[in-house]
Amino acid sequence: MANVQQYLRPDVIRQVSRLDLRAKFIVQGFLAGLHVSPFHGFSVEFSEHRKYEPGDDVKDIDWNVYARTERLYVKKFQAETNLTCYLAMDLSKSMDYTYRQSLTKFGYAINLAAAMSYLMIQQQDPTGLVTFDTEIRAFLPPKSKRTQIGAILSVLDAARPQGQTDVAHCLHQIARIIRKRSLVILFSDLLTDVEPVIHALHHLRHDGNEVIIFQVLDEAEVTFPFRNVVELEDTETLERLTLDARGVRDGYLQALAEFTQQLDRECLKANIDIIRVHTGQNFDRALIQYLTERQKRF
Amino acid sequence: MGLSWLVPAVSAIGAVFLAAPVIIHLLFRQKPKRLPFPALRLIQQRKRQLMRKLRLRHLLLLALRLLLLGGAIAALGRPLLSGAGRLLPVGSPIAAILIFDTSASMSYQLEGQTRLQRAQTLAGEYLRSLPEGSRVAVVDSAEVRVQFRDRHEAQVLLDSLAIRYHNRPVLLAVREVLRQMRQPDDKWPRLPTVVCVFSDRTAASWNAEAAGEIRELRAEIARSLEHLSQEEEAAEAPQLPMLYFDLAPPRPINVAITGISLAVGEGGVPLEKLPYGVNLKQPVQLQVDIRGVGAPVDLEVELVVGEQLQEVRRFQIAADEGQGRNVTVRFRPFVVAAPVLQGRVRLRSPDLLEADNVRYWTLLAQQYRVGLVADQAGDVQIWKNALEALSLRGLLPVEVHVWTPDQMLAELPTQPPEVLCLLNVSKPSEQFWQRVRDYLRGGGRVVLGLGADLAPSAYNTAAAGQVLPVSVQRSVDLPFDTFVEVADYGAHPLLVPYRDWNTDLTVGRVYRVWQVEMLRQEDQPLGQIIARISHEAKPLIIERVFEGAQGAGRLLLFTTPLYRRTSANWSDWNNFYQPWQTNFALPFVTVRYLLQAQSERTNWLLGEDLPSVLLPATAEPGFSWELRGPETRSGTLEQRQRELFFERLDRPGNYTVRDLQEKWLRAFSTNLPPQETEFLEGRISEEELRATFGDNSLLPSDSPVHLVELARARLGQNPPLELLPFLLMLVVVLLALESWVANRFYKPQAEEAEHV
């Protein structure tokens, strides 16, 4: 099993054209490894036994065990999934960017989304998909059927990032769409004005939703590896700026640090998990690291 | 500070390379690679801050790199730093013009040396410091001759310099040198030239007009000598190097006789302004003006008359508090018994300048006879009083004789006066006119005023016509506002004094005149009208000149009386003697004019004018003369002339001029001008010197630095300092600095850490 995991690393399985397989292997490897799903709920499936204690519902007593052991145990069942998950995918042109990595930010985000949807549906949690740029472009209602993964990946595979984005506006729309308390997982680079986005996230949180943000950046956006005089072009606004890359590098990195610090600060205040990844990282490792930390918290 | 290059070609080519980085950057500027970058907004948010910082970094790096390159190129050129501004080349021959003030003030003693000797010492040291092959001209302020010689010959000339009492302001010598320098002849060396002036800042060494011209000449010469500059790359405007070696004693101590005067009343008439000598029979009193500068001193002042010590006065001059103190000493009167009397006044003092402690004087004892003729003795009183008073005051040594017309007839042939004043002769006889005519033809001088009660018939005779230039017709009453009319005070010597005194003769009113008519001979008027009255332009003063063997005789005719009576029946003809007029004026001006030809100045200041003596009227070509005194000369007249002029008498003293038979004698004295040894008053300021000779020209004698070394430093002639080691050090430092700055600005990518 270990060999299979080693062989089926994300950078290998990206060669496989079918995204569902990628998600399956990635998440199976993840599940078969170190972790248990953190999403406990009420389910019809048996989960575990424990000693009967006064006050427990007698209908839960496992009489078969009593017959074999003459001890009272109650059966504990996995709860029905009560957590609906929405995968919110940013389709802005900036997501379709890579400088020297094999995956664009969008591709990287799809891999993350596939993994998360596989994970959720594996837990019988209904999972839906929202893609947006300046408006919501596609909406898949949440379902817990296994075919939902294929549907989600099919939509994502067909999507093409283009144009500008309005994350805040779209998050407000999503907040209005969601009927009950849900988990919203946002995949975006969030290269936009922070204040409106934060405001929209507060909106989601105020409605009782849990929010996880995967901020996906390109490796070049994090390290600013350019040299000499370059003309940089904003992929969304098409604005251009000629500059000495090495000269502005420190200033840019400082600006990026301030930007991310502000996001982290605001997310912490709103009790939102933000996972910042870049395309130079192995995303399964980033995912595992996040989920491990999250499990520790719960 | 001056910079020169050992390998100038390298630095010149290198300077071109200095621009290479910029040119290459501009010519081969790469088109920037265009890259998409979604996070551009983060850069744009702080674009201004980033760009400004970046630009500063670029500029700093560019400056450092250019400095580095420039330093390396400069090092290759091997620059040399010379001591002062790029005035003269280092180590190459130059032309030096050394101008010396040799006036009397330079004989001031300080530390056992006269100022001139000190100047000679300094100049000698400077000469020896000049590069081999240099050409040197030694110029004496008393006699400007610019001749370039080699250093050894120049040293000989330098050693021969001596104090010249007859001198000129050193500035005139400087001006003359610069004028020659402006238009140099073939003998002028084609070398960079320095002009050194050795003087002591006395007012006598200065001349404001020359100073102004020197400033202009300096600029002009600097432009014309530009091609001689060996440092054509010098950015600053070329200058003519000039140095002023200030030899003024810092705290002078000196007592000087500044003048001798003839004591008159409370004041005195300086002997230099005494044109006629003193009266032979009247005692004269001399006074000397003494000026003390510096510490208080005890003095003795001696008056020597002839060769006899006449009087010694002892006194002290107190401390002057930096302003100088003036004292006047008046000696006892004495009578000048001989026609010519010479003497001297000497100071015995411990001061440091001997030249101005003695002053020479010459007095001519003269006595001009003036005959005043009138029918009534009272009519001459005004003129008699005036002339005698003038004689007493030393202004006109005259002996006044009052005669009736008959007495005049007796006196005239035997003892003719120098001037005959016919103030009121109402009925002159034929004999009277003949005597006057003969007197005039013999060179006599006559003033004739037409009296109030003259008989016109007696003035219109044939004999009278040989004397008078006019015929007298009748007396005419004039309107009240008739005044003396003078169109040009400079037109006749008689009127010139009025112009000099700034006195307007038109305040003179004339109420009545004798109407006269000009006599003519061969259609030419016999006289010249000198002044008229405003009414109908009637003549007031008419002059007739008589040519004779003894010289020109002159007659001045006044058409209005020259006397005034106080009797009740007297009616004034004019206001010439009213209190607001000067009683002395008319007699003084008239008699002095008529005596003019015989006045003679006997006291001169060296450098002020040319001493001259009047020759006897009988001096014909072949007349031999001899000058005796501190300097001696002799000569023979080659043509008829009235005066002998003595040029370039260098030494002050008493001189006599005589013919070989010693029958004819004249005398004069020469003295130093008092301002020559005046160290305080009018001392030339350092600002004035700098303005005239240049900002760095002044070399103060009290400077702690050795003057010659200082001069060499000012002229950039100190051994140059090679800057190569310093430049290499600078290049290393710049290299390190550039590397540090560049590394700090652009950290290697390897160090780039993951920031997220």
Side-chain angles (χ1 to χ4, degrees):
Chain A
M1 190 65 183
N3 289 337
V4 174
Q5 290 171 21
Q6 190 177 5
Y7 179 70
L8 294 175
R9 287 178 61 78
D11 57 340
V12 176
I13 62 171
R14 71 177 163 78
Q15 304 294 334
V16 183
S17 58
R18 294 194 51 175
L19 288 169
D20 59 339
L21 276 180
R22 268 190 284 169
K24 183 179 177 182
F25 277 109
I26 293 164
V27 180
Q28 275 184 339
F30 155 69
L31 289 174
L34 302 172
H35 307 285
V36 178
S37 167
F39 299 100
H40 291 278
F42 297 97
S43 170
V44 291
E45 289 185 26
F46 171 76
S47 177
E48 60 182 342
H49 286 100
R50 66 170 169 78
K51 283 184 178 177
Y52 172 78
E53 287 180 4
D56 286 342
D57 192 344
V58 290
K59 72 178 173 67
D60 292 336
I61 295 173
D62 190 338
W63 298 110
N64 290 334
V65 172
Y66 177 75
R68 286 198 298 270
T69 64
E70 292 183 349
R71 288 177 185 172
L72 288 174
Y73 283 86
V74 291
K75 291 189 282 187
K76 186 168 172 56
F77 295 93
Q78 283 190 321
E80 280 285 342
T81 298
N82 59 354
L83 186 64
T84 303
C85 178
Y86 288 93
L87 303 175
M89 180 62 73
D90 182 358
L91 284 185
S92 66
K93 181 68 177 173
S94 65
M95 291 293 287
D96 189 21
Y97 172 74
T98 180
Y99 173 60
R100 58 186 177 186
Q101 300 299 323
S102 53
L103 283 176
T104 64
K105 289 191 280 184
F106 183 63
Y108 195 94
I110 289 175
N111 279 291
L112 283 174
M116 292 308 292
S117 62
Y118 186 87
L119 184 65
M120 296 303 292
I121 289 170
Q122 187 74 11
Q123 294 177 160
Q124 301 293 314
D125 290 328
T127 302
L129 174 68
V130 181
T131 61
F132 64 90
D133 43 38
T134 53
E135 297 290 340
I136 289 175
R137 297 297 173 194
F139 178 76
L140 277 181
K143 290 179 182 172
S144 56
K145 292 179 181 175
R146 289 190 175 273
T147 55
Q148 180 71 351
I149 296 175
I152 289 171
L153 293 181
S154 171
V155 170
L156 290 176
D157 190 40
R160 291 289 174 268
Q162 56 188 356
Q164 299 192 4
T165 185
D166 188 347
V167 179
H169 171 67
C170 294
L171 288 179
H172 281 299
Q173 281 191 315
I174 292 169
R176 283 192 288 272
I177 289 170
I178 296 172
R179 298 286 174 84
K180 61 179 183 180
R181 295 167 60 186
S182 303
L183 171 65
V184 178
I185 304 176
L186 172 64
F187 300 91
S188 172
D189 54 11
L190 290 179
L191 293 175
T192 183
D193 291 338
V194 175
E195 296 297 333
V197 173
I198 297 296
H199 184 67
L201 291 172
H202 277 294
H203 184 183
L204 281 169
R205 287 292 293 148
H206 185 265
D207 290 349
N209 300 301
E210 188 168 357
V211 180
I212 298 173
I213 301 171
F214 281 93
Q215 186 184 16
V216 183
L217 297 172
D218 188 70
E219 178 261 346
E221 290 172 333
V222 177
T223 59
F224 204 78
F226 311 115
R227 289 164 181 266
N228 303 325
V229 178
V230 291
E231 186 181 43
L232 297 181
E233 183 182 60
D234 190 307
T235 51
E236 291 185 20
T237 63
L238 301 181
E239 288 180 35
R240 290 171 189 170
L241 187 62
T242 302
L243 42 79
D244 177 2
R246 296 183 65 173
V248 301
R249 182 173 182 273
D250 286 350
Y252 166 76
L253 292 179
Q254 192 181 351
L256 178 66
E258 287 174 10
F259 171 67
T260 54
Q261 281 166 11
Q262 186 188 5
L263 268 178
D264 291 351
R265 200 165 46 245
E266 294 299 331
C267 288
L268 184 63
K269 283 183 196 169
N271 200 17
I272 294 171
D273 282 352
I274 179 164
I275 305 100
R276 188 163 298 110
V277 291
H278 67 77
T279 54
Q281 290 175 299
N282 290 331
F283 57 83
D284 61 334
R285 197 171 296 170
L287 197 59
I288 289 166
Q289 186 179 355
Y290 163 68
L291 293 176
T292 305
E293 287 174 4
R294 182 177 170 91
Q295 191 182 27
K296 284 178 185 172
R297 289 208 304 270
F298 291 97
Chain B
M1 302 296 278
L3 201 63
S4 55
W5 304 86
L6 216 55
V7 194
V10 172
S11 49
I13 296 167
V16 176
F17 280 111
L18 199 57
V22 179
I23 294 168
I24 290 170
H25 170 75
L26 292 174
L27 286 180
F28 301 101
R29 189 161 46 175
Q30 284 182 331
K31 191 175 181 184
K33 187 177 176 182
R34 183 180 298 171
L35 296 170
F37 191 66
L40 184 64
R41 58 191 309 280
L42 293 177
I43 299 174
Q44 283 175 321
Q45 279 172 1
R46 37 171 74 198
K47 177 180 171 185
R48 178 180 288 183
Q49 184 186 348
L50 280 173
M51 290 303 171
R52 190 188 306 142
K53 195 173 171 185
L54 200 59
R55 193 171 295 122
L56 283 174
R57 285 177 173 187
H58 284 170
L59 285 175
L60 179 59
L61 263 182
L62 178 67
L64 277 173
R65 286 167 181 171
L66 285 177
L67 271 176
L68 185 63
L69 200 55
I73 290 165
L76 288 176
R78 296 185 64 188
L80 300 170
L81 186 69
S82 52
R86 289 160 277 189
L87 297 176
L88 290 177
V90 177
S92 304
I94 63 166
I97 304 173
L98 312 180
I99 304 172
F100 292 86
D101 182 353
T102 55
S103 63
S105 60
M106 292 291 282
S107 63
Y108 186 90
Q109 295 264 347
L110 194 64
E111 296 170 356
Q113 269 188 321
T114 66
R115 298 281 78 197
L116 180 60
Q117 287 166 339
R118 172 71 178 146
Q120 287 168 304
T121 306
L122 287 172
E125 289 177 27
Y126 184 57
L127 264 186
R128 286 188 285 281
S129 74
L130 292 180
E132 192 63 41
S134 295
R135 305 289 290 167
V136 182
V138 177
V139 178
D140 187 336
S141 64
E143 197 171 4
V144 180
R145 263 202 302 270
V146 185
Q147 290 179 333
F148 286 92
R149 301 163 193 275
D150 64 30
R151 290 186 304 168
H152 307 292
E153 291 173 343
Q155 183 66 53
V156 174
L157 267 181
L158 184 63
D159 294 340
S160 70
L161 285 174
I163 295 293
R164 304 278 292 270
Y165 292 104
H166 184 177
N167 222 303
R168 301 191 313 156
V170 72
L171 234 59
L172 296 182
V174 177
R175 181 176 66 178
E176 179 59 30
V177 166
L178 295 189
R179 280 176 177 171
Q180 292 185 32
M181 198 171 177
R182 181 178 50 181
Q183 293 175 322
D185 57 20
D186 294 340
K187 295 174 184 171
W188 203 280
R190 302 286 289 169
L191 291 170
T193 306
V194 58
V195 179
C196 301
V197 182
F198 298 81
S199 185
D200 58 3
R201 291 169 57 190
T202 54
S205 71
W206 202 254
N207 180 292
E209 185 189 342
E213 192 176 334
I214 286 168
R215 287 171 206 166
E216 293 169 10
L217 284 167
R218 271 179 54 222
E220 197 176 331
I221 291 167
R223 284 194 295 275
S224 67
L225 291 179
E226 196 171 0
H227 67 281
L228 286 177
S229 170
Q230 295 191 358
E231 299 185 29
E232 289 169 2
E233 70 276 15
E236 61 199 56
Q239 292 181 357
L240 170 66
M242 294 190 79
L243 293 176
Y244 186 96
F245 289 79
D246 177 12
L247 293 154
R251 286 168 294 281
I253 299 172
N254 185 37
V255 183
I257 301 175
T258 56
I260 303 181
S261 311
L262 195 66
V264 176
E266 294 297 316
V269 179
L271 294 189
E272 290 80 17
K273 295 185 177 175
L274 193 72
Y276 306 106
V278 297
N279 198 309
L280 189 61
K281 294 181 178 175
Q282 298 193 5
V284 295
Q285 189 174 21
L286 291 181
Q287 64 183 34
V288 291
D289 298 319
I290 296 169
R291 178 168 169 78
V293 167
V297 285
D298 292 318
L299 293 176
E300 278 185 7
V301 54
E302 303 171 350
L303 172 65
V304 176
V305 178
E307 292 302 323
Q308 299 293 319
L309 180 61
Q310 178 84 4
E311 189 179 351
V312 179
R313 300 285 291 274
R314 293 181 180 81
F315 60 97
Q316 187 187 56
I317 288 191
D320 62 355
E321 298 172 353
Q323 298 297 317
R325 189 175 289 276
N326 298 316
V327 174
T328 298
V329 176
R330 187 170 280 199
F331 295 103
R332 288 195 297 270
F334 59 93
V335 173
V336 182
V340 173
L341 188 61
Q342 292 184 312
R344 63 181 181 273
V345 177
R346 174 173 287 281
L347 274 176
R348 303 285 180 192
S349 83
D351 72 345
L352 301 171
L353 181 61
E354 185 64 27
D356 54 8
N357 286 356
V358 64
R359 204 155 185 96
Y360 302 93
W361 54 265
T362 296
L363 287 176
L364 291 184
Q366 291 173 319
Q367 202 168 44
Y368 299 114
R369 283 160 55 87
V370 176
L372 304 179
V373 183
D375 295 336
Q376 299 177 36
D379 292 344
V380 302
Q381 204 57 46
I382 291 174
W383 278 61
K384 181 171 183 289
N385 292 345
L387 292 173
E388 285 179 348
L390 289 166
S391 178
L392 278 173
R393 294 176 73 85
L395 295 174
L396 206 57
V398 293
E399 184 183 47
V400 181
H401 298 268
V402 177
W403 297 318
T404 63
D406 291 338
Q407 287 171 327
M408 185 207 79
L409 289 177
E411 290 286 336
L412 215 51
T414 55
Q415 281 190 303
E418 273 75 20
V419 177
L420 183 64
C421 302
L422 307 177
L423 298 178
N424 183 19
V425 183
S426 55
K427 292 178 183 173
S429 62
E430 289 291 310
Q431 187 186 11
F432 180 91
W433 289 121
Q434 286 167 4
R435 286 284 165 81
V436 173
R437 179 199 63 196
D438 294 343
Y439 170 72
L440 284 167
R441 286 179 177 172
R445 288 154 172 83
V446 174
V447 182
L448 194 157
L450 299 179
D453 44 5
L454 68 78
S457 57
Y459 278 77
N460 291 326
T461 61
Q466 292 181 327
V467 172
L468 301 176
V470 294
S471 63
V472 180
Q473 295 175 341
R474 58 188 173 84
S475 64
V476 182
D477 287 325
L478 300 173
F480 178 74
D481 58 351
T482 302
F483 54 88
V484 179
E485 193 172 64
V486 177
D488 179 9
Y489 285 100
H492 193 276
L494 179 71
L495 303 175
V496 168
Y498 288 98
R499 182 193 62 189
D500 295 344
W501 297 335
N502 203 19
T503 301
D504 196 345
L505 261 184
T506 57
V507 298
R509 300 285 171 182
V510 183
Y511 315 121
R512 205 170 177 199
V513 291
W514 285 99
Q515 183 158 323
V516 296
E517 188 171 341
M518 191 70 74
L519 296 177
R520 292 179 172 271
Q521 190 172 34
E522 297 173 356
D523 276 348
Q524 292 297 317
L526 287 177
Q528 175 196 2
I529 299 172
I530 296 172
R532 298 174 183 271
I533 54 175
S534 59
H535 180 72
E536 296 176 352
K538 292 182 186 299
L540 178 68
I541 308 172
I542 305 158
E543 182 181 41
R544 181 173 177 180
V545 181
F546 296 82
E547 293 296 339
Q550 303 292 318
R554 288 177 192 277
L555 168 74
L556 279 178
L557 174 78
F558 287 77
T559 59
T560 187
L562 295 178
Y563 61 93
R564 183 167 184 263
R565 292 176 183 162
T566 53
S567 57
N569 59 350
W570 171 258
S571 174
D572 276 342
W573 284 55
N574 54 59
N575 71 348
F576 292 171
Y577 307 116
Q578 293 293 334
W580 59 82
Q581 297 283 345
T582 306
N583 285 354
F584 295 167
L586 191 59
F588 177 59
V589 169
T590 311
V591 173
R592 197 179 73 154
Y593 165 66
L594 292 174
L595 286 173
Q596 189 177 23
Q598 296 174 17
S599 68
E600 186 168 6
R601 183 174 164 185
T602 55
N603 292 278
W604 300 85
L605 293 177
L606 286 176
E608 173 203 46
D609 236 329
L610 299 177
S612 68
V613 296
L614 291 174
L615 285 163
T618 55
E620 295 292 335
F623 176 83
S624 296
W625 54 269
E626 185 183 21
L627 174 75
R628 294 180 193 170
E631 293 179 39
T632 56
R633 292 180 195 176
S634 59
T636 302
L637 295 187
E638 293 180 357
Q639 57 188 10
R640 185 181 174 84
Q641 63 189 71
R642 254 185 69 69
E643 286 175 285
L644 279 178
F645 292 95
F646 295 99
E647 295 182 36
R648 303 223 53 81
L649 282 178
D650 280 333
R651 300 178 61 184
N654 288 330
Y655 292 85
T656 56
V657 189
R658 41 189 98 218
D659 61 11
L660 297 184
Q661 291 76 37
E662 301 207 354
K663 289 180 182 172
W664 172 76
L665 173 73
R666 283 288 186 270
F668 63 90
S669 299
T670 56
N671 285 295
L672 279 177
Q675 65 270 22
E676 173 55 47
T677 55
E678 172 57 61
F679 287 102
L680 292 182
E681 204 168 296
R683 187 172 187 159
I684 308 307
S685 68
E686 292 184 3
E687 290 73 24
E688 184 81 5
L689 288 169
R690 288 198 181 96
T692 305
F693 295 109
D695 287 340
N696 283 322
S697 60
L698 185 60
L699 299 175
S701 61
D702 55 353
S703 166
V705 183
H706 195 265
L707 271 189
V708 169
E709 291 305 317
L710 190 57
R712 288 174 56 80
R714 293 274 171 90
L715 297 171
Q717 293 182 305
N718 275 340
L721 176 68
E722 179 153 9
L723 295 180
L724 181 62
F726 302 103
L727 276 175
L728 287 179
M729 283 170 60
L730 179 68
V731 166
V732 170
V733 170
L734 283 173
L735 193 61
L737 190 62
E738 191 273 342
S739 300
W740 181 76
V741 171
N743 278 316
R744 186 171 169 76
F745 289 173
Y746 305 120
K747 289 174 188 165
Q749 294 288 353
E751 293 178 13
E752 289 168 10
E754 301 249 342
H755 286 260
V756 179

